[in-house]
């Protein structure tokens, strides 16, 4: 060990002791054992096994760099980084260690997630964006591309293992999402997807052997659950607040029913197809029948999570929510649960298709940044294997999307959602991800929400909204001969990536 | 502060009626210009001018493209059911908020103006909501009306007023009630303060006269109290009305405009179009229309109020 | 009216019930804020609700102090609001004086009404142009940007309220002072200022209280912690790990203290200010 590293670990150790953590010796580079302490990770998660003393990912990108050389060259650089709301807890966790490794200084700014997009766009558009790195939600990425630095050269130069992410996750980071050949504008940071979560005790009570596999079964389960659930607990609960969550949840139903955003291979909107209408009515019926917790139509992610953590729902659609295993946050922390792939739709075009959610986050670089190499080094560090793994297991809300982590048996032990996460990959129905996207959302969201809350019939409301979307697409030239971005042949990963078809948790990489 | 000058010249007040008003035009401009220029620079020329300009374009910040639109945005707005709905909803919510705040403020202030034990404490407790931060109030009302775990439901159930959960935010009418309640909660205190100020300015002799005349309480209120507090009341209502027509906080925190678009106020609609869909031209036209509506209304109200004030004082 | 009517026992009872009812309603959300800041995170949204917390912890306060940069946020909010109030008064009082004492072309319909009408524009639409302007002036992400914006928000109210306040000061006083050979400027400082001091003090507090909780402008116009205000600090506490109720409520409690103190201890001043000078 180099003397400097010994000094670093001594300092870090002292700091850890002050913080009340018990740690034998802090590794010079991020090591899971140093971070996955009972203080941050729920004991319920830690019960799953012993965390190895050595690095879980000894060969990841961070471990292959010559940090002494980097420190020589980039030491003293200050990076300004924009992060979203409470998610900032994740990079703050490794901030100190990175500053020691690289000699750089990191300046984090949290932006309330309610105004994140607004703030970024306004500061970029007025030319006053002074930060080096920012998080961008992937569906908004096309809006920001004109302000961002393409990363292909930097990826090559620093040998970053971009290929370790699942191909469609990589594709979402490009300027031509889901169409091969685009330039990379972001590093994948947070791979949230929706899953179907159910509480085992209630499913056992109605004699169900496992989570529902189709939406028919969802209705069937809900009907039975209504008879057995205690007062104040509801069969299901969804995130359907009148903002982007309504859009996400709608496609969590519409895509499995067989609906598509656009007519295949074109940008002609098709959001009022028979299947879309059927899906909208299906949810409306669940609400009317009392299968869905009243309140769903006002719940966004955080508020529905609150209801789930308080034990008010028997089943729900949610992100991986590692934090609901934390007894400090959740009343059902030690309850047994199923985490499964979203159910299959109903009808002739039924399929398994989980909406590729809005919260896939890219870490992107400001074109105007004068410290591109240094900025890239931090981005790569923050999105490297072991660091991502640490963020996920400690329940910061950031979830990994790397093949190498799913391939590691030890790693998956501490992440109850690992299997569902892995099995969902072939079925993801990706978001639109074009620059006029937000304008489309603001047309569709009120329409969908109006149907759900009973303002009118889906048969009448959705076609009107679809017509408005058509006008938008026309206005921006997507319906002409040369659309600004080529239309993907499909948004569904199953059709886009045949190599996914054989992913099987049982005999695949996961075990 | 040196008040000796003040006392010395107070005697001059007696001859006020005789003294002609001083009118020096140039100096008047000189003094009002800094404030005017300031607003001109920071609020009128730039933001307002920008909005007027953009309202004639189809400008999207998302793609950074802009086309000349002429009056298309305005025509589009007047034929858009969403916009018309939002203007209607906005006025409805503003009207009820203002009416309830005024009536409640008036009745509480009248009671607080009486003599009784604990009066000072009651007064302090009743104006506390004014000191809180709106964003955080939004979160607190979120908890108070949390579906299936609503504190308000629990209290109403205990009191036997309702049975079972109310599902406040599921129903258009009830959602509006919650939104209005949140605003009334915070701003009634403002009305109380304003009205109390007016009430305490009424000389006791007025009431003694009323007593001698054997006037009923009701008559005293209409004949003496109300005319005397008319001016502060009208201005308080005006300040509130201007803010209420831009009503945003409660909608943003609780319903995001739902259910059934029943709580989408015009300010929230403009925010959604201009600041989420980034359809800047359309949103600009929308806010110019709102601005014009408030402008006309305020102009009428203010000229009436000040005409009345000239007479009263 | 207390002087008019003899209060019957029934009326006294009614008054107590009436006031207790409204006090209870008004205090419920405030109590909930205080309670949420100390109750265990897991008990925040439970049914039946815990009116008195069963278990308490002060984690929220510790965390906002350590992780959220509370001292910065607090100091900024106070600093920005005070400066904005002073700026608004500096510009607004002379304008109010002019409006009260002089008559000139376009006073009511032109100047005064235009000044007031700046308060009509929905704030969301002013943001983008303000941002362009601030970028040009180099005011993005500085406390001065917010000071200028807040002063602009308050200026119409300052001008209008101070004008009615000065209207109540008899003209004859300054005129006879001027007849003694003093200038109008001297009259302004020696007569008007002392007499409208309570009004100015009240306006100062009213300004502070009108912009104390402002969110949208502050959220977009500032970027870094050293320039952010309390409401932004609170709104940041919602994200992937859920809503940190405790910490939000803790900021709410601490943030409400200064304005509440002003309202409680300077109530007389506030009332004088709000009464637009009618009360002398």
């Amino acid at each position: 060990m180099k003397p400097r590293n010994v000094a670093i670990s001594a300092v870090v150790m002292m700091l850890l002791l002050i913080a009340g953590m018990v740690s034998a010796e802090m590794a010079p580079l991020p090591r899971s054992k140093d971070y996955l302490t009972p203080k941050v990770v729920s004991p319920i998660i830690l019960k799953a096994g012993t965390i190895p003393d050595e690095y879980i990912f000894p060969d990841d990108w961070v471990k292959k760099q010559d940090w002494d050389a980097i420190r020589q060259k980039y030491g003293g650089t200050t990076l300004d980084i924009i992060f979203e709301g409470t998610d900032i807890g994740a990079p703050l966790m490794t901030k100190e260690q990175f500053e020691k490794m690289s000699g750089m200084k990191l300046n984090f700014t949290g932006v309330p997630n309610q105004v994140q997009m607004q703030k970024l766009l306004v500061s970029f558009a007025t030319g006053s964006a002074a930060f080096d790195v920012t998080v961008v939600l992937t569906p908004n990425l096309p809006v920001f591309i004109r302000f961002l630095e393409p990363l292909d050269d930097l990826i090559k130069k620093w040998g970053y293992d971009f290929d370790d992410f699942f191909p469609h996750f990589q594709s979402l980071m490009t300027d031509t999402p889901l169409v091969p050949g685009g330039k990379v504008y972001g590093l994948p940071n947070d791979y949230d997807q929706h899953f179907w979560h159910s509480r085992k005790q209630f499913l056992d009570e109605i004699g169900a052997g496992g989570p529902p596999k189709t939406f028919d079964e969802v209705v069937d389960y809900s009907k039975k659950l209504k008879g057995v659930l205690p007062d104040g607990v509801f069969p299901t609960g969804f995130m359907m607040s009148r903002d982007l969550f309504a859009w996400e949840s709608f496609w969590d139903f519409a895509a499995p029913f067989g609906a598509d955003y656009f007519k295949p291979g074109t940008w002609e909107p098709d959001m009022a197809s028979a299947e879309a209408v059927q899906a909208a009515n299906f949810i409306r019926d669940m609400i009317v029948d009392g299968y869905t917790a009243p309140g769903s139509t006002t719940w966004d992610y955080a508020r529905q999570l609150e209801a789930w953590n308080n034990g008010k729902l028997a089943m729900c659609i949610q992100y991986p929510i590692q934090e609901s295993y934390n007894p400090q946050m959740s009343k059902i922390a030690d309850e047994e649960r199923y985490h499964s792939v979203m159910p299959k739709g109903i009808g002739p075009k039924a399929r398994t298709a989980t909406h590729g959610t809005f919260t896939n986050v890219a870490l992107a670089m400001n074109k105007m940044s004068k410290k591109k190499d240094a900025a890239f080094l931090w981005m790569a560090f923050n999105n490297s294997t072991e660091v991502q793994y640490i963020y996920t297991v400690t329940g910061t809300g950031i979830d990994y999307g790397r093949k190498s982590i799913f391939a590691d048996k030890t790693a998956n032990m501490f992440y109850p959602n690992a299997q569902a996460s892995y099995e969902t990959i072939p079925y993801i129905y990706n978001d639109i991800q074009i620059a006029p996207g937000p304008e489309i959302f603001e047309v569709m969201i009120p329409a969908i929400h109006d149907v759900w809350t009973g303002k009118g019939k889906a048969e009448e409301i959705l076609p009107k909204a679809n017509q408005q979307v058509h006008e938008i697409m026309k206005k921006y030239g997507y319906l002409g001969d040369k659309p600004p971005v080529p239309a993907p042949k499909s948004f569904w990963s199953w059709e886009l990536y045949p190599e996914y078809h054989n992913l099987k948790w049982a005999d695949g990489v996961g075990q | 502060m040196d008040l000796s000058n003040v006392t010395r010249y107070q005697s001059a007040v007696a001859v006020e009626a005789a003294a002609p008003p001083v009118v020096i035009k140039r100096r008047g401009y000189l003094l009002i210009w800094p404030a005017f220029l300031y607003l001109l620079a920071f609020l009128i020329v730039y933001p307002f001018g920008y909005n007027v300009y953009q309202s004639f374009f189809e400008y999207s910040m998302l793609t950074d493209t802009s086309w000349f639109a002429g009056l298309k945005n305005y025509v589009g707005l007047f034929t858009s059911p969403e916009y018309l709905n939002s203007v209607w909803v906005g006025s409805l919510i503003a009207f009820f908020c203002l009416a309830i705040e005024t009536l409640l403020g008036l009745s509480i202030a009248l009671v607080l103006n009486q003599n009784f034990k604990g009066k000072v404490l009651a007064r302090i407790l009743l104006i506390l909501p004014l000191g809180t931060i709106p964003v955080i109030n939004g979160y607190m009302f979120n908890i108070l009306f949390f579906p299936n775990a609503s504190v308000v439901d629990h209290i109403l159930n205990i009191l036997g007023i309702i049975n079972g959960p109310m599902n406040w935010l599921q129903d258009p009418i009830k959602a509006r009630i919650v939104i209005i309640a949140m605003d009334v909660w915070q701003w009634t205190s403002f009305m109380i303060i304003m009205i109390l100020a007016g009430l305490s300015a009424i000389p006791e002799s007025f009431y003694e006269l009323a007593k001698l005349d054997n006037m009923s309480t009701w008559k005293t209120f209409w004949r003496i109290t109300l005319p005397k507090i008319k001016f502060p009341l009208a201005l308080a209502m005006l300040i509130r009305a201007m803010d209420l027509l831009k009503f945003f906080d409660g909608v943003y925190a609780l319903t995001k405009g739902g259910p059934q678009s029943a709580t989408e106020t015009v300010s929230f609609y403009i925010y959604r179009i201009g600041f989420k869909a980034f359809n800047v031209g359309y949103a600009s036209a929308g806010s110019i229309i709102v601005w014009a509506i408030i402008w006309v209304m305020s102009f009428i109200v203010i000229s009436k109020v000040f005409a009345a004030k000239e007479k009263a004082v | 009216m207390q002087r008019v009517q003899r209060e019957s026992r029934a009326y006294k009872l009614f008054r107590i019930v009436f006031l207790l009812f409204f006090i209870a309603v008004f205090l419920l959300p405030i109590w909930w804020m205080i309670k949420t800041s100390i109750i265990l995170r897991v008990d925040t949204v439970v049914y039946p609700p815990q009116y008195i917390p069963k278990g308490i912890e002060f984690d929220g306060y510790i965390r906002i102090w350590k992780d959220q940069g509370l001292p910065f946020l607090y100091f900024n909010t106070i600093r920005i609001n005070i400066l904005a109030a002073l700026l608004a008064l500096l510009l607004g009082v002379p304008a109010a004086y002019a409006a009260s004492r002089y008559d000139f072309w376009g006073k009511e319909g032109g100047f005064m009404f235009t000044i007031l009408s700046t308060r009509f524009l929905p704030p969301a639409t002013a943001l983008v142009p303000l941002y362009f302007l601030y970028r040009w002036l180099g005011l993005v992400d500085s406390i001065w940007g917010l000071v200028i914006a807040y002063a602009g928000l308050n200026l119409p109210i300052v001008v209008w309220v101070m004008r009615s306040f000065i209207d109540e000061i008899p003209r004859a006083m300054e005129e006879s002072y001027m007849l003694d050979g003093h200038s109008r400027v001297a009259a302004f400082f020696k007569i008007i200022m002392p007499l409208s001091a309570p009004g100015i003090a009240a306006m100062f507090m009213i300004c502070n209280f009108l912009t104390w909780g402002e969110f949208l402008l502050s959220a977009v116009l500032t970027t870094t912690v050293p320039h952010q205000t309390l409401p932004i600090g609170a709104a940041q506490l919602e994200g992937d790990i859920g809503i940190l109720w405790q910490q939000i409520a803790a900021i709410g409690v601490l943030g409400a203290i200064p304005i509440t103190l002003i309202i409680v201890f300077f109530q007389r001043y506030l009332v004088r200010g709000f009464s637009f000078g009618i009360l002398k």
Side-chain angles (χ1 to χ4, degrees), chain A residues 121-377:
Chain A
L121 186 50
V122 172
S123 59
F124 270 127
T126 56
S128 45
F131 43 82
D132 301 296
V133 181
T134 177
V135 288
V136 177
L137 302 177
T138 47
N140 294 337
L141 194 66
V143 177
F144 292 106
I145 274 173
R146 60 186 199 266
F147 311 113
L148 300 176
E149 175 75 13
L151 301 173
D152 306 71
D153 294 343
L154 286 162
I155 289 173
K156 209 176 282 168
K157 178 177 172 190
W158 291 100
Y160 181 67
D161 51 349
F162 192 67
D163 294 340
D164 193 26
F165 294 97
F166 286 98
H168 77 115
F169 198 15
Q170 291 177 31
S171 154
L172 295 182
M173 306 292 140
T174 65
D175 53 354
T176 55
L178 306 176
V179 180
K183 270 192 197 156
V184 176
Y185 283 90
L187 298 189
N189 178 54
D190 185 0
Y191 188 64
D192 274 332
Q193 294 304 341
H194 283 171
F195 308 107
W196 191 270
H197 303 271
S198 358
R199 287 157 74 185
K200 189 166 178 292
Q201 66 172 90
F202 292 128
L203 294 201
D204 287 349
E205 244 177 282
I206 58 163
K213 298 230 162 36
T214 66
F215 279 115
D216 269 331
E217 274 181 30
V218 169
V219 173
D220 184 44
Y221 281 27
S222 301
K223 201 183 281 174
K224 288 181 186 154
L225 279 168
K226 242 191 137 182
V228 299
L229 288 177
D231 210 26
V233 183
F234 298 87
T236 64
F238 306 119
M239 306 175 254
M240 312 201 291
S241 60
R242 199 174 182 263
D243 48 25
L244 287 161
F245 294 99
W247 170 259
E248 282 190 4
S249 287
F250 177 64
W251 288 101
D252 267 335
F253 290 82
F257 276 66
D260 274 304
Y261 308 122
F262 302 100
K263 301 217 161 94
T266 71
W267 288 116
E268 180 60 47
D270 194 19
M271 303 190 196
S273 60
E275 293 78 23
V277 169
Q278 192 195 354
N281 284 332
F282 177 83
I283 306 172
R284 174 67 190 156
D285 289 345
M286 283 196 68
I287 295 171
V288 171
D289 293 339
Y291 297 157
T292 301
S296 286
T297 48
T298 61
W299 281 336
D300 57 11
Y301 154 75
R303 284 158 188 82
Q304 191 228 23
L305 179 61
E306 197 69 39
W308 171 256
N309 283 348
N310 276 296
K312 304 213 157 291
L313 313 170
M315 305 187 287
C316 75
I317 299 176
Q318 257 292 359
Y319 300 98
I321 46 174
Q322 180 86 348
E323 54 276 21
S324 79
Y325 281 97
N326 183 348
Q328 283 178 344
M329 304 281 260
S330 169
K331 284 217 179 303
I332 55 167
D334 50 3
E335 232 180 61
E336 242 187 284
R337 273 167 266 176
Y338 296 120
H339 309 285
S340 52
V341 180
M342 290 281 295
K344 200 177 168 187
I346 306 168
K349 289 169 93 177
R351 56 188 176 180
T352 304
T354 305
H355 181 250
T357 68
F358 217 84
T359 42
N360 286 316
V361 177
L363 214 50
M365 193 190 296
N366 187 350
K367 209 198 250 169
M368 312 298 282
S369 168
K370 294 196 178 70
K371 310 152 190 167
K372 288 187 177 128
D373 278 291
F376 183 80
L377 284 169

Side-chain angles (χ1 to χ4, degrees), chain A residues 381-402:
Chain A
F381 165 87
N382 193 63
N383 292 12
S384 65
T385 318
E386 189 128 1
V387 174
Q388 284 263 300
Y389 179 69
I390 290 167
Y391 292 164
T392 305
V393 176
T394 48
T396 55
I398 285 179
D399 299 281
Y400 56 71
R402 278 174 171 273

Side-chain angles (χ1 to χ4, degrees), chain C:
Chain C
M1 270 180 291
Q2 70 275 22
R3 302 135 187 124
V4 183
Q5 86 199 106
R6 254 172 284 117
E7 292 169 342
S8 66
R9 185 169 285 193
Y11 178 75
K12 277 183 182 161
L13 188 69
F14 163 77
R15 185 168 63 200
I16 289 172
V17 173
F18 178 86
L19 285 175
L20 281 181
F21 172 76
F22 280 106
I23 288 173
V25 170
F26 278 39
L27 291 190
L28 179 72
I30 294 177
W31 168 243
W32 223 260
M33 184 165 78
I34 298 169
K35 197 209 77 175
T36 303
S37 72
I38 51 171
I39 197 172
L40 300 179
R41 169 68 179 77
V42 73
D43 287 338
T44 312
V45 184
V46 289
Y47 197 84
Q50 296 180 7
Y51 295 91
I52 310 289
K54 289 209 178 84
I56 62 168
E57 59 183 8
F58 293 93
D59 214 36
Y61 289 92
I62 298 167
R63 296 284 289 278
I64 54 168
W65 185 271
K66 283 196 337 205
D67 304 347
Q68 292 296 315
L70 182 80
F72 265 126
L73 295 175
Y74 222 99
F75 177 58
N76 280 336
T77 316
I78 292 175
R79 188 163 60 148
I80 290 168
N81 276 288
I82 287 181
L83 287 173
L86 289 178
L87 183 58
L89 285 171
L90 191 71
L91 294 161
V93 174
Y97 180 73
S100 168
R101 288 298 189 257
Y102 297 102
D103 209 356
F104 46 87
W105 182 84
K107 186 175 90 170
E108 297 296 340
F111 285 93
M112 286 303 278
F113 197 72
T114 314
I115 285 177
L116 189 66
S117 71
T118 54
R119 246 188 107 82
F120 303 166
L121 210 58
T125 49
L127 272 173
V128 174
L130 258 190
Y131 215 98
F132 275 113
L133 183 68
Y134 276 19
R135 195 203 143 214
W136 184 58
L137 296 170
L139 288 171
V140 173
D141 193 25
S142 80
I143 65 156
W144 291 105
L146 279 186
V147 167
I148 287 171
Y150 286 0
L153 289 181
N154 283 334
L155 199 46
I157 304 275
V158 171
V159 174
W160 275 72
V161 175
M162 283 313 296
R163 183 242 180 117
S164 359
F165 213 98
I166 295 171
D167 271 350
E168 298 305 314
I169 301 170
R171 284 170 184 229
M173 276 174 73
E174 45 182 317
E175 275 151 23
S176 53
Y177 182 70
M178 280 157 68
L179 284 177
D180 280 3
H182 301 283
S183 70
R184 180 163 277 275
V185 178
F188 178 76
F189 284 105
K190 295 284 172 179
I191 303 284
I192 301 293
M193 288 299 275
L195 277 176
S196 57
I200 292 174
M203 267 335 288
F204 176 74
M205 285 164 201
I206 292 170
C207 285
N208 271 303
F209 128 91
L210 285 175
T211 50
W212 183 259
E214 200 284 327
F215 175 72
L216 206 55
L217 285 172
S218 175
V220 176
L221 294 177
T222 61
T223 307
T224 49
V225 177
H227 307 125
Q228 276 171 351
T229 58
L230 284 168
I232 313 307
Q236 268 172 34
L237 295 165
E238 184 182 342
D240 266 15
I241 61 167
I243 305 171
L244 302 174
W245 300 110
Q246 278 182 338
Q247 301 182 38
I248 290 174
I251 291 185
V253 171
L254 296 177
I257 289 173
I259 297 296
T260 309
L261 287 181
I262 285 182
I263 294 174
V264 170
F265 287 106
F266 299 95
Q267 212 191 124
R268 175 157 287 175
Y269 273 95
L270 276 188
V271 165
R272 278 190 188 185
F274 277 136
S275 73
F276 297 86
I278 283 177
L279 183 73
K280 283 177 204 125

Side-chain angles (χ1 to χ4, degrees), chain B residues 188-252:
Chain B
T188 300
S189 308
F190 177 74
M191 282 293 181
I192 295 177
I193 289 188
M194 297 288 276
I195 296 166
L196 267 180
L199 285 175
S200 52
I202 304 175
E204 213 164 314
S205 54
F206 279 53
Y207 290 111
E208 276 155 17
L209 275 173
K211 203 175 167 188
L212 287 176
D213 272 5
N214 255 341
M215 256 196 230
S216 70
T217 317
W218 195 238
K219 231 175 172 181
T220 318
F221 173 75
W222 282 109
R223 294 268 178 85
I224 296 174
T225 315
L226 201 58
K228 274 285 159 191
I229 59 168
K230 205 159 79 182
F231 185 62
L233 184 63
L235 269 162
M237 281 172 77
L238 186 73
I239 292 177
R240 277 310 295 143
M242 289 190 312
D243 287 351
L244 274 168
L245 288 167
K246 300 187 294 186
F247 192 88
F248 183 79
D249 290 347
V251 179
Y252 189 79

